[in-house]
């Protein structure tokens, strides 16, 4: 269903990338202030799942990855995160695991364990079966 | 709310159906036969074996008023069985399918039955008196993939279908000569056979198990992404709700009353969903009491071994409590529950008993006697 009904066309992708860049600078400043939880929340908000453009997705992934690696207190982070973001976070965790990069995978596995305890297997299922809203 | 009876009939059960007086059960033990068992004094004895299909019997339905059994199979055929002189006599129904038949249901008036198939079509079969045989009419349009479940609306004309393309559709199956047009309800446009009334795009993954509420006002169906969808006021402006839940996906649902739904699936434990006074649906609880276990052993022993291996890849994780490998599901069924069938008298608005069958070969009968007190909830 390329480019039809509800999906963002290539020209709007520029707008999204610009938005992601502003988000990225905000996140950098939050991380400098030792607020990694806030940073992750900002990164996950406004994730553009309904765009087919790979550049948008990659751009957003870089931002989320930066925030994810900075997290030390996983429990605290999950406490502060709203339930509706669990599914999106799980999708990014799997994207992280697919990179094969050791530190990224370590971090993603740690978060995955805690997130599964909270959100249950249904969360994982939703990531696996959702082929339309991918990150 | 408890299990009244559990019996393991076979290695695995594909589908089952009850006789009108609920004394006999017909099921397919995952092969090409249909076994009929009768219960007498706490013992189950096998009465009949219906052997006509060449491949797995994927759907069985037993009509309560006319006492006929319809079976459909992966061999693309369907038989209607009638009891004559103590023996079940089959009548072949030519469905004109080129793929397997997946599910079947008698209509409320039992003058038609619907068959969903892997050929992306739905067959509506009705009895032609003059020629003394069953004719099938196909709904060929619209479905983009296999039709996994069908459900009849109480008005005997509307049919809801779910498919592996993720969508739930409602069609009109009005057949001239078989159905009578209700002068008050429905516009002429809706009365055309095969006309699609509604298409619901709520799910991104395969959809299974669809049912109508007793009044026909609400529709519920499940998606493979551990979600259950409720649609109120089915019609030109429906009100849809998606409820995401914690655990493994469901395969089938049943309306207990207008406001309560039981879902069964891969968790081997039926789940209760209810709508509160404002009409918002949510997950209430599992039917069987789940022991309050610590988070480590809240998965079955299979899962905790897999998770240990998974997390063990990371050097930083602490050792999991894998030694507590309790078989914590500890419920009635050991494996996926495939279907749920109501066991109440047709006139009562609430279903007080139902039965479930699954891949573990067991059929369990559940009774909802003290449900209202246990839930503290009206239903």
């Amino acid at each position: 269903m390329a480019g039809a009904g509800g999906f963002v066309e290539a020209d709007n992708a520029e707008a999204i990338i610009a938005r992601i860049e502003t988000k990225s600078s905000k996140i950098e400043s939050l991380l400098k202030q030792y607020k990694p939880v806030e940073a992750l929340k900002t990164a996950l908000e406004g994730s553009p799942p309904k765009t087919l453009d790979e550049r948008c997705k990659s751009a957003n992934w870089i931002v989320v990855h930066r925030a994810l690696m900075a997290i030390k207190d996983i429990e605290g982070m999950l406490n502060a995160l709203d339930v509706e973001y669990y599914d999106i976070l799980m999708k990014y965790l799997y994207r992280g695991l697919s990179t094969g990069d050791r530190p990224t995978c370590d971090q993603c596995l740690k978060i995955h364990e805690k997130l599964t305890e909270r959100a249950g297997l249904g969360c994982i299922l939703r990531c696996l079966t959702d082929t339309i809203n991918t990150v | 709310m408890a299990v009244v009876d559990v019996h393991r009939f076979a290695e695995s059960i594909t589908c089952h159906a009850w006789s009108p007086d609920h004394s006999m059960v017909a099921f397919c033990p995952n092969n090409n036969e249909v076994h009929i068992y009768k219960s007498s004094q706490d013992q189950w004895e096998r009465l009949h074996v219906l052997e006509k299909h060449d491949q797995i019997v994927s759907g069985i339905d037993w009509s309560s008023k006319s006492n006929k059994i319809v079976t459909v199979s992966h061999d693309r055929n369907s038989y209607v069985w009638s009891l004559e002189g103590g023996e079940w006599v089959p009548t072949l129904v030519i469905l004109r399918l080129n793929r397997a038949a997946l599910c079947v249901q008698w209509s409320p008036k039992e003058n038609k039955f619907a068959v969903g198939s892997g050929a992306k079509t739905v067959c509506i079969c009705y009895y032609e008196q003059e020629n003394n045989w069953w004719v099938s009419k196909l709904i060929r349009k619209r479905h983009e993939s296999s039709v996994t479940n069908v459900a009849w609306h109480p008005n005997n004309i509307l049919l809801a279908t779910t498919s592996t393309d993720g969508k739930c559709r409602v069609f009109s199956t009005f057949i001239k000569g078989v159905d009578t047009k209700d002068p008050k309800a429905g516009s002429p446009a809706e009365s055309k056979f095969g006309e699609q009334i509604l298409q619901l795009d709520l799910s991104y993954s395969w959809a299974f198990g669809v049912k109508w509420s007793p009044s026909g006002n609400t529709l519920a169906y499940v998606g493979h992404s551990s979600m259950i969808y409720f649609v109120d006021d089915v019609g030109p402006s429906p009100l849809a709700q998606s409820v995401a839940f914690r655990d493994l996906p469901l395969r089938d649902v049943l309306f207990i009353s207008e406001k309560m739904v039981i879902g069964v699936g891969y968790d081997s434990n039926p789940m209760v969903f209810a709508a509160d006074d404002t009409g918002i649906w949510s997950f209430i609880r599992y039917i069987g009491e789940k022991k309050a276990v610590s988070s480590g052993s809240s998965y079955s022993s299979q899962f905790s071994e897999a998770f240990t291996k998974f997390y063990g890849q990371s050097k930083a994780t602490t050792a999991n409590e894998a030694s507590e490998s309790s078989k914590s599901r500890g419920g009635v069924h050991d494996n996926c529950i495939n279907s749920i069938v109501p066991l109440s008298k047709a006139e009562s608005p609430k279903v007080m008993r139902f039965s479930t069958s699954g891949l573990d070969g067991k059929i369990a009968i559940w009774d909802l006697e003290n449900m209202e007190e246990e839930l503290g909830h009206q239903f």
Side-chain angles (χ1 to χ4, degrees):
Chain A
M1 288 203 285
F7 284 100
V8 175
E9 304 286 348
D11 31 274
N12 277 351
E14 301 303 329
I16 295 186
I17 292 193
R19 255 213 310 274
I20 294 178
E21 283 181 8
T22 28
K23 231 175 24 170
S24 155
S25 43
K26 216 167 127 199
I27 286 173
E28 288 296 329
S29 62
L30 280 172
L31 286 176
K32 286 210 184 77
Q33 296 165 40
Y34 298 107
K35 287 203 194 122
V37 180
E38 297 292 319
L40 187 58
K41 270 170 99 166
T42 322
L44 289 179
E45 273 164 17
S47 298
K50 276 213 168 24
T51 169
L52 285 177
D53 192 25
E54 268 313 307
R55 294 174 298 156
C56 296
K57 294 194 205 251
S58 307
N60 208 50
W61 161 241
I62 295 172
V63 168
V64 172
H65 179 238
R66 183 91 181 76
L68 271 180
M69 294 310 286
I71 299 265
K72 300 281 179 286
D73 172 26
I74 300 175
E75 282 290 335
M77 181 264 286
L78 289 176
N79 279 334
L81 206 59
D82 292 325
V83 177
E84 52 199 57
Y85 288 109
Y86 285 170
D87 285 351
I88 301 178
L89 177 59
M90 185 61 88
K91 287 184 188 164
Y92 277 114
L93 288 180
Y94 275 104
R95 181 152 182 172
L97 289 172
S98 73
T99 61
D101 170 52
R102 198 78 215 215
T104 315
C105 288
D106 275 354
Q107 180 76 342
C108 286
L109 275 177
K110 277 197 286 193
I111 305 181
H112 185 284
E113 184 182 355
K114 295 278 181 290
L115 183 58
T116 318
E117 271 177 38
R118 273 181 190 247
L121 299 170
C123 186
I124 300 181
L125 252 273
R126 275 185 283 283
C127 295
L128 292 177
T129 53
D130 196 351
T131 47
I132 301 181
N133 299 336
T134 53
V135 285
Chain B
M1 218 168 6
V3 175
V4 169
D5 191 16
V6 183
H7 187 87
R8 185 156 193 257
F9 288 95
E11 282 284 324
S12 193
I13 293 185
T14 324
C15 51
H16 73 285
W18 291 89
S19 64
D21 56 359
H22 305 319
S23 67
M24 295 191 276
V25 64
F27 62 87
C28 168
N30 210 31
N31 58 16
N32 63 334
E33 301 165 352
V34 175
H35 293 200
I36 300 185
Y37 276 69
K38 187 179 176 71
S39 94
S40 45
Q41 301 133 335
D42 287 343
Q43 289 275 59
W44 289 91
E45 55 162 311
R46 186 162 74 188
L47 283 189
H48 301 105
V49 173
L50 311 179
E51 262 186 271
K52 215 50 172 119
H53 286 290
D54 301 318
Q55 288 178 17
I56 279 196
V57 178
S58 45
I60 304 182
D61 202 8
W62 201 325
S63 63
S64 36
K65 288 174 224 138
S66 46
N67 200 34
K68 289 199 200 301
I69 302 181
V70 60
T71 58
V72 292
S73 156
H74 285 186
D75 66 3
R76 302 170 278 134
N77 281 337
S78 159
Y79 286 95
V80 174
W81 305 77
S82 353
L83 192 61
E84 282 164 30
E87 285 300 316
W88 287 95
V89 176
T91 312
L92 175 66
V93 179
I94 301 190
L95 296 172
R96 296 182 283 143
L97 288 178
N98 56 9
R99 291 288 186 279
L102 298 174
C103 55
V104 66
Q105 219 196 18
W106 282 107
S107 71
K109 291 210 188 102
E110 293 166 15
N111 51 2
K112 299 187 281 192
F113 61 89
V115 180
S117 79
K120 311 186 207 175
T121 58
V122 179
C123 313
I124 311 291
C125 304
Y126 61 96
Y127 191 65
E128 217 166 60
Q129 198 65 345
E130 310 87 60
N131 295 325
N132 195 25
W133 74 339
W134 293 85
V135 178
S136 101
K137 277 188 90 158
L138 297 174
I139 300 180
R140 275 187 221 275
K141 296 188 284 191
R142 303 299 181 176
H143 289 105
E144 289 152 28
S145 189
S146 303
V147 179
T148 50
N149 269 95
V150 289
W152 287 94
H153 187 280
N155 72 4
N156 210 56
I157 295 185
L158 293 178
L159 181 77
T161 64
T162 47
S163 162
T164 46
D165 64 5
K167 306 196 201 320
C168 173
R169 300 176 174 84
V170 179
F171 292 93
S172 157
T173 62
F174 183 86
I175 300 179
K176 249 166 56 172
V178 178
D179 294 308
T180 49
K181 211 190 275 206
D182 185 355
K184 299 182 302 257
S187 58
E190 281 178 346
S191 299
K192 190 161 170 275
F193 179 85
E195 189 79 29
Q196 181 180 282
I197 311 288
L198 185 63
Q199 176 171 302
L200 297 162
D201 283 326
L202 298 167
S203 173
Y204 298 119
S205 56
W206 298 346
F208 293 103
V210 61
K211 287 280 184 339
W212 293 89
S213 67
S215 67
N217 190 46
T218 312
L219 194 58
Y221 69 102
V222 283
H224 210 52
S225 50
S226 295
M227 302 203 41
I228 181 169
Y229 306 96
F230 297 97
V231 186
D232 292 309
D233 299 324
V234 179
S237 51
L239 214 80
Q241 282 175 54
S242 316
V243 177
F245 49 86
R246 269 187 69 95
D247 294 299
L248 298 176
L250 299 177
R251 282 301 296 266
D252 206 357
V253 287
L254 177 68
F255 269 91
I256 300 292
S257 70
E258 275 304 309
K259 294 214 166 297
M260 192 165 282
V261 163
I262 306 253
V264 289
Y266 294 94
D267 267 318
S268 317
N269 210 347
M271 296 187 193
V272 182
F273 296 86
D276 60 17
D277 302 316
T278 58
I280 307 285
W281 288 87
S282 60
F283 169 69
I284 304 289
R285 55 172 278 175
Y286 281 94
I287 274 207
E289 277 308 323
K290 254 182 132 175
K291 297 177 284 236
V293 289
S294 66
S295 52
S297 52
S298 62
Y299 309 119
S300 71
S301 48
Q302 256 185 328
F303 281 145
S304 41
E305 276 169 42
F307 271 120
T308 323
K309 210 161 175 196
F310 190 41
Y311 297 128
Q313 300 291 334
S314 162
K315 290 175 278 198
T317 53
T318 53
N320 254 340
E321 317 91 60
S323 47
E324 267 187 85
S325 56
S326 55
K327 192 171 173 296
S328 68
R329 290 289 168 218
V332 172
H333 281 284
D334 309 313
N335 209 328
C336 169
I337 305 181
N338 263 339
S339 74
I340 178 169
V341 177
L343 267 181
S344 279
K345 311 186 211 336
E347 301 82 35
S348 69
K350 290 187 198 172
V351 173
M352 290 310 282
R353 287 169 79 112
F354 59 88
S355 68
T356 56
S357 74
L359 297 182
D360 54 357
K362 294 187 193 165
I363 294 186
I365 303 177
W366 306 75
D367 195 298
L368 299 170
E369 275 290 332
N370 300 314
M371 172 112 114
E372 277 175 359
E373 295 104 65
E374 283 194 34
L375 285 184
H377 190 105
Q378 279 298 310
F379 83 110

